[in-house]
Amino acid sequence: MEVLLYYLLVSGATLALGALLGRWLFLPLTWHKATRAYYLIILLSAWIVPLVGIVIPYIDWTEFFAPNQETMALPLFPLELSSAVAEKVSPLWWQLLLPILLCCIWAVGFLIRVIRIVSALLQLLRLRRHCTTQILADGSPIEILPHGHSAFSAFGRIYLPPSEETAEWLAMYAHERQHARDKHYIDILLAELSLALAWWNPGMWLLRQDLNLNLEHIADQAVLAQKIERKKYQYILLQCATENPITPLYNAYNKSHYLKERIKMMNRKTSPRHAIQRLWLALPMALLALLGGNYLLARPMAERILLSQTVADEDPIYETCDQLPEFPGGNDKLITWMMQELKYPKEAEESSIQGRVLVRFIVEKDGSISQPKILQSADPLLDAEALRIVRKMPKWTPGKNKGKSVRVSFVLPVQFALQAPQTTPQSLYVVDGKVLTDGNSIDPNNIAEMRIDKSQRKVTVNGTTHDLDALGLQSVIYITTK
């Protein structure tokens, strides 16, 4: 369901942007066939290109936007490790109920639009039974409608009212013949199917309206090209405006709500040739749809494929087990490794942004890390760095339950804190058996092992006893250098 909502979101954004640009840049042009190509590119890009993004390997955008610094992340690195997931961080209604509700609302609207399309097709079949096929002098077949119906074309076939070959009748025929020759029914059917999928999107309604209007411009242009007097043809259109309308699924000759725009377009001067270059704007929009599909669909799809392969009863995800997974070398090594690898985001440091980030991940049966996810956010910059470091972790020693390797869920809370300059240290640093008064002078890249001990209140080093309470210190940090 989440993937479906993301897909509709990416497609809907492409349609909305395409409709706005089309109305602003393309609809005023007299190059109607180029405008038609633009609308077809937008419709196909909106629904097909995001799916292509799934095929492309997921691009981790946090790697591009995460700060790249060589400075140590934190003077002090508070780190906790838990084997239980904090369920309160992601409420049930947000994880499950809300997507279900949104999908149900979308499905109801989709069903209504599909019923409307099917109803229009059935209406055409019923009407065709009452039509009489007639072969014109040029060998073209047309369907003669019963009285009370106006001219239209549908699926390449022309439907005309019974009449002699008057100027009005010939204008109708020329108009609908252009619709049939150019297969405009493909555009209309594609727009109606798109509207069924994106009925909730105002941009799609706008795009369908402009697409239909542009098709009428193409047909009008073909009629005027046959040397029919422009004002006379406009008068014919006004006469037909009061006739019975045809359903929106077909190219109707008498769409009265388009008449004003059609007449204005007929009286407009030809647009400059270089204006067709605007068609290139469709390409960056297709690229945005591709990247959006990759960003929002590729990773969730990959995670769901992995989850579907391993959620069987014999391969569940444990929150606790007989032997918990362990970072190579234990928690002390984990602290040392993260102090060396973690980089405090420069923008966050300059803005004094601090906070606690909770990252949930799964230690797989082979010890690899999968499905990292932010459970508690502090700031996008800090979140990106926390995710980056979790994805970079080496393989752990896998957890075991009843002697078998199992998948275990972990939560890693990381506290990002900027430490203000202090005249007195908070910890007693013992480096290679020697006491240092200033821990800031230690090069983090030279640390081989580090252990924090908060239980000792008196420490004896080289025959000298140090009272932590008397010195105002909170802990002892034992460091072994490389």
Side-chain angles (χ1 to χ4, degrees):
M1 292 183 183
E2 182 182 355
V3 174
L4 173 62
L5 294 177
Y6 283 151
Y7 174 64
L8 293 175
L9 178 62
V10 174
S11 301
T14 305
L15 292 171
L17 183 58
L20 293 176
L21 286 178
R23 171 157 289 202
W24 179 38
L25 296 176
F26 292 93
L27 198 60
L29 298 180
T30 59
W31 304 107
H32 306 307
K33 291 188 177 181
T35 304
R36 180 194 181 191
Y38 168 78
Y39 285 126
L40 289 176
I41 292 173
I42 293 301
L43 288 174
L44 295 175
S45 297
W47 301 115
I48 297 177
V49 175
L51 297 178
V52 177
I54 300 178
V55 180
I56 300 174
Y58 172 68
I59 302 173
D60 189 357
W61 295 103
T62 59
E63 295 290 343
F64 295 94
F65 296 106
N68 185 18
Q69 292 211 83
E70 299 300 331
T71 56
M72 187 173 68
L74 301 170
L76 292 179
F77 186 81
L79 176 68
E80 301 173 6
L81 195 62
S82 170
S83 62
V85 178
E87 296 293 341
K88 294 183 179 180
V89 177
S90 300
L92 178 62
W93 70 271
W94 178 258
Q95 280 188 318
L96 184 60
L97 297 184
L98 183 60
I100 290 178
L101 178 61
L102 293 176
C103 286
C104 289
I105 295 174
W106 170 82
V108 170
F110 174 75
L111 183 61
I112 292 174
R113 295 304 308 178
V114 170
I115 292 175
R116 179 177 172 83
I117 294 175
V118 174
S119 175
L121 292 173
L122 294 176
Q123 180 182 351
L124 175 63
L125 292 176
R126 287 195 298 267
L127 181 61
R128 188 172 177 180
R129 293 173 186 170
H130 298 87
C131 295
T132 302
T133 302
Q134 177 179 330
I135 306 298
L136 299 181
D138 60 0
S140 302
I142 63 171
E143 301 294 333
I144 301 300
L145 292 164
H147 289 282
H149 293 275
S150 62
F152 69 93
S153 60
F155 300 100
R157 188 172 291 270
I158 300 173
Y159 296 79
L160 295 175
S163 177
E164 299 295 332
E165 293 189 1
T166 61
E168 292 82 358
W169 193 90
L170 291 175
M172 292 183 192
Y173 172 68
H175 183 96
E176 299 305 329
R177 182 179 59 182
Q178 189 65 32
H179 282 313
R181 284 181 175 178
D182 289 351
K183 297 181 173 56
H184 289 172
Y185 62 89
I186 296 177
D187 306 53
I188 291 181
L189 188 59
L190 184 59
E192 289 298 323
L193 293 176
S194 298
L195 188 62
L197 292 169
W199 60 265
W200 49 272
N201 187 354
M204 184 58 230
W205 291 86
L206 186 67
L207 190 147
R208 184 190 69 156
Q209 176 182 332
D210 294 345
L211 179 146
N212 286 334
L213 177 58
N214 184 67
L215 296 180
E216 296 305 317
H217 289 331
I218 294 176
D220 291 337
Q221 201 174 48
V223 174
L224 296 178
Q226 297 183 6
K227 307 304 180 181
I228 296 179
E229 186 180 352
R230 182 176 58 189
K231 289 187 177 180
K232 184 177 181 180
Y233 177 60
Q234 294 171 356
Y235 179 72
I236 294 173
L237 288 177
L238 292 174
Q239 281 184 317
C240 297
T242 57
E243 298 181 15
N244 294 333
I246 304 298
T247 100
L249 189 60
Y250 318 129
N251 292 113
Y253 181 76
N254 68 326
K255 292 182 179 179
S256 58
H257 53 288
Y258 291 154
L259 285 181
K260 181 179 178 181
E261 296 299 327
R262 290 169 64 183
I263 293 174
K264 287 171 59 177
M265 181 60 71
M266 291 181 208
N267 297 328
R268 187 169 296 170
K269 293 182 179 180
T270 303
S271 301
R273 189 79 182 180
H274 64 80
I276 304 180
Q277 297 176 0
R278 300 177 184 180
L279 189 61
W280 288 102
L281 287 176
L283 296 182
M285 294 182 60
L287 178 61
L288 288 176
L290 177 67
L291 297 178
N294 181 266
Y295 180 71
L296 291 177
L297 300 178
R299 186 171 187 84
M301 286 290 293
E303 290 181 352
R304 275 160 174 72
I305 292 174
L306 176 63
L307 187 61
S308 65
Q309 294 174 346
T310 56
V311 294
D313 293 339
E314 65 273 13
D315 194 18
I317 299 175
Y318 290 82
E319 293 184 358
T320 185
C321 57
D322 298 339
Q323 180 181 337
L324 291 176
E326 187 178 45
F327 185 86
N331 286 356
D332 291 341
K333 285 289 186 180
L334 173 60
I335 295 173
T336 303
W337 181 84
M338 295 193 70
M339 287 190 68
Q340 294 174 349
E341 297 292 336
L342 202 65
K343 300 176 180 65
Y344 208 107
K346 182 178 180 180
E347 294 86 345
E349 187 175 8
E350 292 176 349
S351 303
S352 300
I353 298 175
Q354 306 180 73
R356 186 169 182 255
V357 181
L358 289 182
V359 184
R360 175 191 181 272
F361 60 90
I362 295 175
V363 180
E364 299 289 345
K365 292 192 293 185
D366 62 352
S368 60
I369 304 301
S370 69
Q371 303 182 32
K373 181 180 181 181
I374 298 294
L375 290 184
Q376 178 177 298
S377 173
D379 180 85
L381 293 171
L382 303 184
D383 297 348
E385 178 61 17
L387 283 175
R388 185 191 70 82
I389 200 67
V390 169
R391 294 189 183 115
K392 193 176 180 181
M393 281 184 180
K395 284 189 176 183
W396 290 36
T397 302
K400 292 187 177 181
N401 200 42
K402 297 181 180 179
K404 295 183 178 180
S405 297
V406 294
R407 307 172 72 212
V408 182
S409 172
F410 267 76
V411 174
L412 180 67
V414 181
Q415 182 75 33
F416 289 86
L418 294 171
Q419 186 179 29
Q422 299 177 359
T423 55
T424 58
Q426 297 296 313
S427 301
L428 180 67
Y429 291 86
V430 181
V431 181
D432 295 333
K434 298 179 181 180
V435 176
L436 291 183
T437 57
D438 183 11
N440 293 327
S441 62
I442 304 172
D443 183 2
N445 295 320
N446 198 33
I447 296 176
E449 183 177 359
M450 183 177 70
R451 179 171 59 88
I452 302 175
D453 191 342
K454 295 184 179 180
S455 62
Q456 291 182 283
R457 307 315 305 162
K458 292 184 179 181
V459 180
T460 301
V461 180
N462 295 331
T464 303
T465 300
H466 302 270
D467 190 333
L468 271 62
D469 293 331
L471 295 173
L473 304 178
Q474 300 176 357
S475 61
V476 183
I477 299 179
Y478 294 95
I479 296 176
T480 302
T481 59
K482 296 179 181 179

